[in-house]
Amino acid sequence: MAKAISPPNLYDKVSLQNPVHRAFDVTIFILLISLLVYRLLHISSNGFAWLLALLCESCFTFTWALTVSTKWNPVEYRTYPERLSQKIQELPPVDMFVTTADPELEPPILTVNTVISLLAVDYPAGKLACYVSDDGCSPITYYSLVEASKFAKLWAPFCKKHNIQARAPFRYFSSEEDEYEELASKINDANKKSIDWNLSGDFAAFSNIERKNHPTIIKTDVLQVVWENKGGISDELPHLIYISREKRPKHPHHYKAGAMNVLTRVSGLMTNAPFILNVDCDMFANNPNIVCHAMCLLLGSRNERESGFVQCPQYFYDGLKHDPFGNQFEVLHKYIGSGIVGIQGPFYAGTGCFHRRKVIYGAYPHDIGIQAKSLTPVHGDLTEKEHLKIFGKSKEFIRSAAHALQGMANTSPKLLPNLTEAANQVAGCGYEYGTSWGKEVGWQYGSATEDILTGLLIHARGWRSVLCTPDRRAFLGCAPGAGPISMTQQKRWATGLLEILISDKNPIIATLTARLQFRQCLAYLWILIWGLRSIPELCYAVLPAYCIITNSSFLPKANEPAICIPVALFLSYLIYSLSEYLEIGLSIRAWWNNQRMGRINATNPWLFGVIGVFLKILRVSGIVFEVTQKDQSSNNGGDEGRFTFDASPLFMPGTTILLLQLTAFVVGFGGMQSPSVNDASGLGEITCSLLVVICFWPFVKGLFGKGKYGIPVSTICKSSLLSLSFVYLVKSASKGQV
């Protein structure tokens, strides 16, 4: 009798062993503990600087413990999309969401390239639908999609016929501008308002509207210029639907999270695909087979709990050499990313993510019998009254949600124009009142980083997540540029993460009352405390200057055996962190740039993130969601790595830290130090102060730069006043102690 052959696996889960990294992790942790013990044993014979160093190093030790826990068990998944046909008779439908908010900060040409790349992926066109959310309600964005749909009718078949890999047109035509120039010129001219707008006919809906005060606009009719694959034929294009949700001045719209929830409801009415892909407007599909790679992970597991969502790492195209602004996150994805995969799965990063629709609707894994106390269970077998309370008053949407929650197969594509009235209802600004949207269902409200909060809630229900890392990177986007743009993004991240930490949905509560694993809780804490890390980072950066000015010390003397502890700690971390960059092919300069930017980000935008949350708690001011400016140019707006400045207060802490170090040098070498209370400052403190200056070298150049490359005079004056006031206060305090 012949032996039955089982179908091949769609993916392999591979454990990555790296004993050298583990040895460094443990060594550094032991050195940190040794330093803390040494400080505690000698705290009575030392002054304020010693105590402050102890507190800061305790924070660093805690952070390192979280880092080690997160990285300890690295895992990766290898997918085999060519085996899908042997395992799956019919591929499931997928709804693709693209979000854009401002045609000036997010040029429509970026959105167009993202949309076209999605329309051209290697997946049956009849199984796909692309929904574009325009939160700016811009006729320019709609016009760009109209032109993009015309181009895509020719582009998608061409790519599939010739197996083109780069399916964002601007990547393929980078050296042959003629074929792409007409489309790009039309869109860029429209964005520059160099063409006359006739807001009639197909554009009549955009007449007499305000950006934050307008009704819902949904373009789905086949008579419209935007393409609709009404027949579901595989060699046509996927559905393309434009949505601009209703906005009114007195109604909160919850920024991107609100837009995503509207997309979820509208798509639930129209196509109701069991899987959802969401990408930002600048993240084009770089791997044409990425949907199949994701399906391997979503369909290949016998227990769907193992893949509540599939996250693709966020990589960037045309990144500047040596990563001068430290925003490409290559090492972070490689080591931290694979480490989290070995726990409960990667965080939801807000883009490049495939979701199960029923998970977004609040469903629990099937194998969980007792529901978590802190979360409301959502199932497909709820009564109509219960569904109304959770999902809202649209009976059409409730029926579609029930189908999704019960795991029922998607029906044939519906006549989209017939659903416009129901779609307008669920896209209304008042639809969510009295429902569970943004609380237990959909994308979560209450944080500027709605992606992390949404993923946390999914993990708390008991779902796991998976990282999809095919050989050809799945999605590529444009990294934020230098100075103000990067700082604004870092501030928003720090603000949103801290909002989650102080909320009732933080990972500690989710671990105690729900189904978040303990080590996954530690991994979430690692990222959520980014903003709080600014406080010890700032204090530690100021500490060398303080010691020089007050003629005190926070390090063991050079002739003491204990000096070996901080020296060994410094060298171990230096060698370890450098090896991580060299192992994945990055340069020493890239390593240094990331170390430098780590200090700058921690003491500038992260600090303002903490201040913003503190003012929110005091109800002095609210949190404003700031859209990051996107730029398709290869230099990311940073003039090939040059740091830029503006008059924003975000640059004041860094400028103050730098001026404080320089003032300390003048005081120290000029013999103007305070009388010694304890042991006088020595070589260690001077060396540390020099290291701080080197870390803030872009600010040194900014002191002498001109235009956008120079720190504004107003910022220098304010920072000078702060640093001189600090010197006066600490000298006065130290004299009073003598």
Side-chain angles (χ1 to χ4, degrees):
M1 182 177 178
K3 184 179 180 180
I5 300 176
S6 61
N9 292 330
L10 295 180
Y11 68 85
D12 287 329
K13 183 178 180 180
V14 182
S15 179
L16 306 175
Q17 301 296 329
N18 200 326
V20 175
H21 281 220
R22 285 189 173 184
F24 269 108
D25 287 333
V26 173
T27 299
I28 292 174
F29 183 70
I30 292 174
L31 288 171
L32 283 167
I33 294 296
S34 300
L35 183 59
L36 295 181
V37 171
Y38 174 76
R39 289 202 181 278
L40 285 171
L41 293 175
H42 295 80
I43 193 169
S44 60
S45 58
N46 289 277
F48 172 75
W50 196 269
L51 175 61
L52 182 59
L54 172 63
L55 296 175
C56 292
E57 288 158 2
S58 298
C59 295
F60 300 151
T61 303
F62 176 69
T63 301
W64 186 255
L66 297 179
T67 304
V68 172
S69 173
T70 304
K71 296 166 62 176
W72 193 253
N73 299 111
V75 168
E76 71 175 14
Y77 287 83
R78 297 170 185 170
T79 50
Y80 307 103
E82 66 277 3
R83 299 176 181 175
L84 269 175
S85 59
Q86 303 174 49
K87 292 275 285 187
I88 308 298
Q89 292 183 349
E90 187 176 357
L91 292 172
V94 179
D95 289 338
M96 304 179 291
F97 295 171
V98 180
T99 52
T100 183
D102 189 322
E104 295 182 4
L105 297 177
E106 300 172 331
I109 191 64
L110 289 174
T111 305
V112 161
N113 275 280
T114 296
V115 169
I116 292 176
S117 72
L118 293 175
L119 296 178
V121 294
D122 286 333
Y123 203 78
K127 300 286 186 179
L128 297 174
C130 183
Y131 294 82
V132 180
S133 170
D134 175 20
D135 249 19
C137 194
S138 168
I140 299 172
T141 301
Y142 176 63
Y143 169 81
S144 300
L145 291 177
V146 170
E147 296 300 322
S149 66
K150 299 175 185 177
F151 184 86
K153 293 177 186 178
L154 302 174
W155 174 249
F158 171 77
C159 289
K160 294 176 181 179
K161 179 180 179 180
H162 298 284
N163 195 28
I164 304 300
Q165 295 298 298
R167 299 199 177 175
F170 84 102
R171 301 299 292 172
Y172 181 78
F173 292 115
S174 58
S175 59
E176 302 176 41
E177 292 292 340
D178 293 344
E179 298 179 54
Y180 175 57
E181 184 178 4
E182 183 178 356
L183 172 65
S185 296
K186 286 182 178 180
I187 293 172
N188 289 330
D189 288 345
N191 198 36
K192 295 175 183 176
K193 299 180 181 180
S194 58
I195 64 174
D196 294 329
W197 284 104
N198 181 17
L199 296 180
S200 61
D202 194 42
F203 291 84
F206 295 95
S207 60
N208 300 319
I209 63 170
E210 300 176 13
R211 179 179 171 184
K212 296 183 179 181
N213 185 14
H214 61 83
T216 299
I217 301 175
I218 300 178
K219 296 289 188 178
T220 63
D221 199 309
V222 72
L223 298 177
Q224 303 290 347
V225 182
V226 175
W227 183 255
E228 178 195 334
N229 182 3
K230 187 173 181 180
I233 303 173
S234 61
D235 60 351
E236 294 182 347
L237 288 181
H239 300 287
L240 180 57
I241 299 101
Y242 170 92
I243 301 173
S244 183
R245 58 187 169 129
E246 181 186 15
K247 285 188 177 180
R248 300 301 178 192
K250 295 183 180 180
H251 292 265
H253 60 275
H254 302 293
Y255 309 105
K256 182 181 176 181
M260 293 297 294
N261 284 335
V262 168
L263 286 175
T264 302
R265 294 194 293 271
V266 172
S267 66
L269 286 171
M270 294 183 171
T271 47
N272 204 30
F275 299 105
I276 296 170
L277 162 66
N278 89 276
V279 295
D280 288 343
C281 64
D282 66 317
M283 296 293 294
F284 66 85
N286 182 61
N287 187 326
N289 216 22
I290 183 54
V291 181
C292 292
H293 281 286
M295 288 303 114
C296 288
L297 297 166
L298 289 165
L299 304 175
S301 176
R302 293 182 179 179
N303 181 2
E304 65 178 15
R305 177 186 182 184
E306 297 299 312
S307 54
F309 63 85
V310 173
Q311 177 66 58
C312 301
Q314 189 172 357
Y315 292 113
F316 306 99
Y317 60 85
D318 291 345
L320 292 175
K321 190 176 181 181
H322 307 305
D323 192 12
F325 308 121
N327 52 21
Q328 296 177 27
F329 308 121
E330 296 275 352
V331 170
L332 188 74
H333 291 316
K334 175 64 177 177
Y335 298 105
I336 295 291
S338 61
I340 300 173
V341 176
I343 310 175
Q344 200 174 343
F347 309 137
Y348 167 38
T351 182
C353 189
F354 292 82
H355 304 269
R356 295 184 187 273
R357 183 180 287 272
K358 67 178 183 180
V359 174
I360 294 297
Y361 286 170
Y364 284 77
H366 292 311
D367 61 337
I368 296 181
I370 300 176
Q371 303 300 336
K373 295 179 181 179
S374 64
L375 302 172
T376 303
V378 178
H379 299 290
D381 56 358
L382 296 177
T383 65
E384 183 177 353
K385 184 177 180 180
E386 290 171 324
H387 272 128
L388 284 170
K389 185 176 180 181
I390 294 172
F391 294 113
K393 297 181 180 180
S394 171
K395 293 183 178 180
E396 292 89 347
F397 177 74
I398 288 174
R399 283 194 290 269
S400 75
H403 280 87
L405 288 166
Q406 292 167 0
M408 296 178 64
N410 190 51
T411 58
S412 58
K414 302 172 183 177
L415 295 177
L416 304 187
N418 297 342
L419 291 168
T420 301
E421 183 178 349
N424 275 274
Q425 179 188 4
V426 300
C429 60
Y431 181 80
E432 296 179 351
Y433 288 136
T435 70
S436 295
W437 286 101
K439 303 169 187 174
E440 303 292 343
V441 172
W443 273 256
Q444 300 299 291
Y445 303 152
S447 169
T449 51
E450 77 294 323
D451 44 7
I452 297 293
L453 180 56
T454 301
L456 172 58
L457 188 67
I458 292 172
H459 283 135
R461 292 196 184 104
W463 294 96
R464 297 178 63 88
S465 56
V466 184
L467 194 68
C468 184
T469 55
D471 290 336
R472 182 177 177 86
R473 291 178 171 177
F475 300 95
L476 294 179
C478 52
I485 299 174
S486 181
M487 292 283 191
T488 298
Q489 186 179 66
Q490 290 283 341
K491 176 192 172 186
R492 176 164 60 84
W493 288 346
T495 300
L497 294 171
L498 189 54
E499 285 178 309
I500 299 173
L501 185 63
I502 65 173
S503 73
D504 58 359
K505 294 181 180 179
N506 70 68
I508 298 175
I509 295 177
T511 301
L512 296 175
T513 64
R515 300 185 67 89
L516 188 71
Q517 295 180 13
F518 175 69
R519 286 186 57 213
Q520 188 76 6
C521 170
L522 298 182
Y524 271 108
L525 288 177
W526 171 82
I527 191 172
L528 295 182
I529 65 169
W530 275 11
L532 292 179
R533 285 169 55 183
S534 63
I535 299 173
E537 289 269 6
L538 177 65
C539 292
Y540 217 68
V542 170
L543 195 53
Y546 171 86
C547 289
I548 294 173
I549 294 168
T550 60
N551 202 19
S552 58
S553 175
F554 78 100
L555 291 172
K557 296 302 178 183
N559 58 351
E560 297 178 4
I563 192 63
C564 295
I565 299 176
V567 171
L569 181 59
F570 175 78
L571 293 176
S572 297
Y573 179 77
L574 186 151
I575 295 170
Y576 182 32
S577 59
L578 179 58
S579 69
E580 290 184 322
Y581 282 79
L582 298 179
E583 282 179 11
I584 62 174
L586 298 178
S587 65
I588 296 177
R589 187 173 176 183
W591 163 80
W592 169 245
N593 287 336
N594 277 262
Q595 299 300 312
R596 169 175 57 82
M597 288 305 302
R599 309 288 73 75
I600 291 175
N601 287 331
T603 53
N604 290 274
W606 291 7
L607 178 64
F608 274 89
V610 174
I611 294 173
V613 174
F614 181 70
L615 293 178
K616 176 185 176 182
I617 294 173
L618 296 179
R619 298 185 179 181
V620 174
S621 64
I623 302 298
V624 178
F625 188 95
E626 299 171 280
V627 178
T628 304
Q629 183 175 343
K630 310 294 194 306
D631 188 354
Q632 187 173 293
S633 62
S634 61
N635 67 11
N636 290 329
D639 292 351
E640 298 301 330
R642 295 186 65 182
F643 207 88
T644 59
F645 301 87
D646 64 9
S648 168
L650 288 173
F651 296 99
M652 281 186 58
T655 307
T656 303
I657 290 172
L658 174 63
L659 293 177
L660 192 58
Q661 309 301 322
L662 299 179
T663 304
F665 291 151
V666 172
V667 171
F669 291 107
M672 296 180 286
Q673 293 170 300
S674 300
S676 178
V677 178
N678 297 299
D679 293 334
S681 58
L683 182 61
E685 286 71 27
I686 295 173
T687 302
C688 289
S689 187
L690 285 172
L691 285 174
V692 173
V693 172
I694 294 172
C695 285
F696 285 83
W697 195 252
F699 286 78
V700 175
K701 294 194 289 187
L703 290 176
F704 306 99
K706 296 182 179 179
K708 64 180 181 180
Y709 305 115
I711 302 174
V713 175
S714 60
T715 301
I716 295 176
C717 292
K718 294 173 185 176
S719 296
S720 299
L721 180 62
L722 285 174
S723 60
L724 291 175
S725 298
F726 178 86
V727 172
Y728 174 78
L729 290 174
V730 298
K731 285 179 70 67
S732 299
S734 61
K735 287 179 181 178
Q737 295 175 0
V738 177

